[in-house]
Structures are given as C-alpha cells and as structure tokens.
Amino acid sequence: MSIEVKDLTRIYGEQKAIDQISFSVNRGEIVGFLGPNGAGKSTTMKILTGCLKPSGGHAFLNGIDVNAFPVQTKKLTGYLPESNPLYGDMYIREYLSFIADIHHLPAKKEKINATIDQVGLRPEAGKKISQLSKGYKQRVGLAAALIHSPEVLILDEPTTGLDPNQIVEIRDVIKNYGKNRTVLFSTHILQEVEAICDRVIIIHQGKIIADNNLGELRQEQTGKFIKVVLKESVTAEDWQVLGQLRGIRKTSDFEWELEAGDPELLKKQLLSLSLQNNWNIVSLQSENRSLEDIFRGLTKTIIHE
C-alpha cells in the first residue's frame, strides 16, 4: 500500500483535530478526501507529508514511517498545500529550477519544460509568479509538486481559483498521473470527485465516517432515503411517530424526503400512518442520491422543515 494510516491522532490543546483514524490507499488509486471545514483533512495531509507530527498513531508511505524517516518519505511525495506558498519575486522557470535543485534532479532543463507543458503553464512561462492570476499560481504549485515524479501525490484543494476550462485541464493531469501512482486529494467541488475518483473517504469531526467505492456508497445511501408526495400539507412533527425515521427534509409544500433505518419497514409505517390520518399518498419511492446529497446527509443533521 502506498499510503497507510493507523490510529492517527492529532490534538491541539483540548481539541482532537483527528481521532484515531485509519485508512489505506493503493498504487493506481485516486481517492477523494472529503469533509466539512475543520473536519481534519488538512491536518491529516500535513502529517502524511511530514509537515506536522501526530499526537498518536502512525502514517506510512510505501511502507516507510513518515514520522521516523521524514526525509525519505518527502522524496516520495508531491504536495500541494491549501495555502500554496510561492516566492512571488521569482520567475516561473527560476522557481521550478529551485525546486528541481532541492530534489537533485538530473536533466533539469528538460524536466522543467516537460512539467510546464504538463500543467499548462507555457503561455505564462516567462512571467514572475507575482504577475500571475490565482489560477496560474495554482498551476505553479502543482508543477512544483509534480516535477520530481513522486510516487505519492497529495493535493489539498488543487482546483481552487481555476476557471471551468482550467479545472478540466487539471482534472486530466490528475487522472493521467494517477494511472500508475497514488493520489489523495481534498476538494469542496464534489463534481471533481465524481469525475476523477472511484473511491471517497469522508471525514467529519476528526473521524472517518465513510470509506467506500463511489458506486457502492451511492447504492448503500440511496436505499436509506424515501421520497413521499402527498396531496395534503403536513408538518415535521406529524412524521415523528415513525419508529424507523432518522431524518426529515421538506423539499416542497407537499413533498418530503425521509431517511430510514429500515426502508421497507418505514414504507409500511408510512402507509399505516396515511390511513390513520386520511392522507392521500401520490407517490412513495426510494430516492436516488447525488454525492452532494450523500455528503450532506453524512455530515449534518437534516431534520428540519
């Protein structure tokens, strides 16, 4: 396994940023690492890249303990942090030359040119970094992460500041690179995950709450949600008598989305409740779930009107 995390914990004062999380990512996998702000994504990535020490547990890259051998694991890793720190007074080629020297790369000039083309920097290649738009600065950060052809690529919000065309281009770079490498990236753009990833890990309040193939996660979550359309207007309190109910969301005046512990039993209870209250059910069906729906359902309480 290229990335292996075992019982990883990081504590700031009295707050656990991450709480005994464990997961692994194999070579050839592109995994989306999702979670709300403050969930622990960036903390985990900083530990994986040796920028932050854990309070407990272990992280391994290609079987090497990151905390015990930080220099060795940094050689294996390309990292684009969320803040994307760059030297604004340096020219693009000058900066990439500096990064190449850090990695002691042979054939440096050829490698710089290839990386500039790889991330689409050619139109701006003669400029200082301070003269670039936010999107092109992001490309410079990605180029710095890729220039030494790392075994493991860790990207924290890699498409921040990019326009729709640039997002597609960078998406293709990540997909092509991940065919024979390991890529872990975080993003709030869930369409990116659906376009690039086969698997997602969702972290919430410092704990892993989902780790699954994207298709299986959709199938698992879809069966738990039922869409009910009535002829009558009802309130959230009217549903509370249902024993299998875990969540409620009103989607329009006469439409509700109900989350169930046991969907089939909930459907029976719904039919019984409608008879007791003389409600007319127009339709009753399992609801297909988008990744956004799944993410919201797993990371926040949805009981409201």
Side-chain angles (χ1 to χ4, degrees):
M1 284 173 276
S2 294
I3 299 175
E4 188 174 9
V5 169
K6 294 183 177 179
D7 299 322
L8 204 61
T9 299
R10 173 67 192 193
I11 301 172
Y12 296 100
E14 297 182 356
Q15 180 184 359
K16 284 186 178 180
I18 51 174
D19 187 4
Q20 293 186 308
I21 64 170
S22 299
F23 64 88
S24 61
V25 184
N26 294 317
R27 185 182 180 89
E29 276 194 299
I30 303 176
V31 176
F33 194 40
L34 310 180
N37 290 332
K41 303 186 300 299
S42 294
T43 296
T44 303
M45 289 180 159
K46 288 174 183 176
I47 292 173
L48 286 172
T49 53
C51 299
L52 189 66
K53 288 188 176 182
S55 303
H58 298 276
F60 302 89
L61 298 182
N62 283 5
I64 304 171
D65 190 311
V66 174
N67 198 36
F69 302 98
V71 175
Q72 289 186 39
T73 53
K74 281 183 173 68
K75 292 178 180 179
L76 300 170
T77 310
Y79 178 40
L80 175 60
E82 184 180 12
S83 57
N84 189 17
L86 299 170
Y87 294 106
D89 289 338
M90 298 179 79
Y91 288 89
I92 291 174
R93 291 183 182 277
E94 182 185 12
Y95 177 68
L96 293 180
S97 177
F98 167 65
I99 298 297
D101 287 340
I102 290 174
H103 292 289
H104 305 289
L105 295 182
K108 181 174 72 172
K109 185 176 179 180
E110 291 80 3
K111 188 63 178 175
I112 290 170
N113 284 329
T115 306
I116 283 173
D117 288 334
Q118 185 179 16
V119 301
L121 274 171
R122 181 67 61 183
E124 307 290 313
K127 291 184 177 181
K128 278 187 176 183
I129 292 173
S130 61
Q131 297 174 318
L132 300 175
S133 67
K134 186 176 181 181
Y136 274 105
K137 287 178 181 177
Q138 199 72 359
R139 290 181 186 231
V140 175
L142 183 59
L146 289 170
I147 195 166
H148 60 298
S149 301
E151 291 293 317
V152 178
L153 186 60
I154 296 177
L155 307 172
D156 198 353
E157 302 286 344
T159 55
T160 297
L162 303 184
D163 65 38
N165 291 330
Q166 291 174 328
I167 287 174
V168 172
E169 292 169 7
I170 297 303
R171 177 194 300 168
D172 290 340
V173 170
I174 296 170
K175 286 175 71 174
N176 289 330
Y177 196 82
K179 289 177 180 177
N180 56 6
R181 299 290 202 283
T182 304
V183 180
L184 179 70
F185 81 98
S186 73
T187 181
H188 287 105
I189 305 173
L190 299 183
Q191 294 92 332
E192 289 300 288
V193 177
E194 294 180 302
I196 297 174
C197 301
D198 290 322
R199 177 180 159 212
V200 295
I201 297 171
I202 301 177
I203 185 170
H204 182 45
Q205 297 179 344
K207 293 182 178 291
I208 302 293
I209 58 172
D211 180 356
N212 210 338
N213 174 281
L214 191 53
E216 292 176 358
L217 181 64
R218 273 205 189 94
Q219 185 177 7
E220 174 186 301
Q221 293 297 321
T222 291
K224 294 181 179 179
F225 290 84
I226 296 170
K227 183 178 180 179
V228 185
V229 181
L230 300 168
K231 285 188 176 181
E232 294 78 17
S233 177
V234 301
T235 68
E237 288 72 23
D238 292 324
W239 300 113
Q240 299 299 333
V241 296
L242 297 171
Q244 293 301 311
L245 198 62
R246 289 185 177 177
I248 311 168
R249 186 161 68 100
K250 188 175 184 178
T251 55
S252 72
D253 287 343
F254 302 102
E255 296 182 4
W256 294 80
E257 187 181 85
L258 309 179
E259 182 182 358
D262 184 335
E264 292 307 312
L265 181 55
L266 179 61
K267 287 180 182 179
K268 293 178 181 177
Q269 291 178 343
L270 281 169
L271 292 172
S272 177
L273 185 63
S274 67
L275 289 172
Q276 292 173 22
N277 291 281
N278 293 317
W279 295 343
N280 294 291
I281 295 179
V282 177
S283 67
L284 180 63
Q285 60 187 17
S286 295
E287 182 76 349
N288 290 327
R289 311 297 291 166
S290 67
L291 182 57
E292 182 179 355
D293 291 332
I294 292 169
F295 178 83
R296 290 180 66 249
L298 289 172
T299 59
K300 67 182 291 188
T301 301
I302 64 168
I303 297 182
H304 65 279
E305 244 187 280

